[in-house]
Amino acid sequence: MLRDPRMTSALIGASSVAQLEENVAALAGAPLTDEELTEIDSFAVDTAGTNIWAGRG
């Protein structure tokens, strides 16, 4: 997400100390591959004014 120049910060939204610890521990993992990043990017919405949450839930 932070590879996108439009993003200035990311909120991890941990709901417990344990989840926060898991999120921080994930930083020690291997970096994502180009293939993984491409897959993640395939879900990105690049249309101004699009509500990506509409119709979910």
Side-chain angles (χ1 to χ4, degrees), residues 9-51:
S9 63
L11 302 176
I12 58 173
S15 59
S16 67
V17 172
Q19 186 180 23
L20 176 62
E21 290 170 344
E22 289 176 14
N23 290 345
V24 170
L27 295 172
L32 297 173
T33 65
D34 287 342
E35 182 178 285
E36 291 167 325
L37 292 171
T38 298
E39 179 71 15
I40 292 168
D41 288 345
S42 73
F43 294 98
V45 175
D46 197 22
T47 306
T50 300
N51 180 354

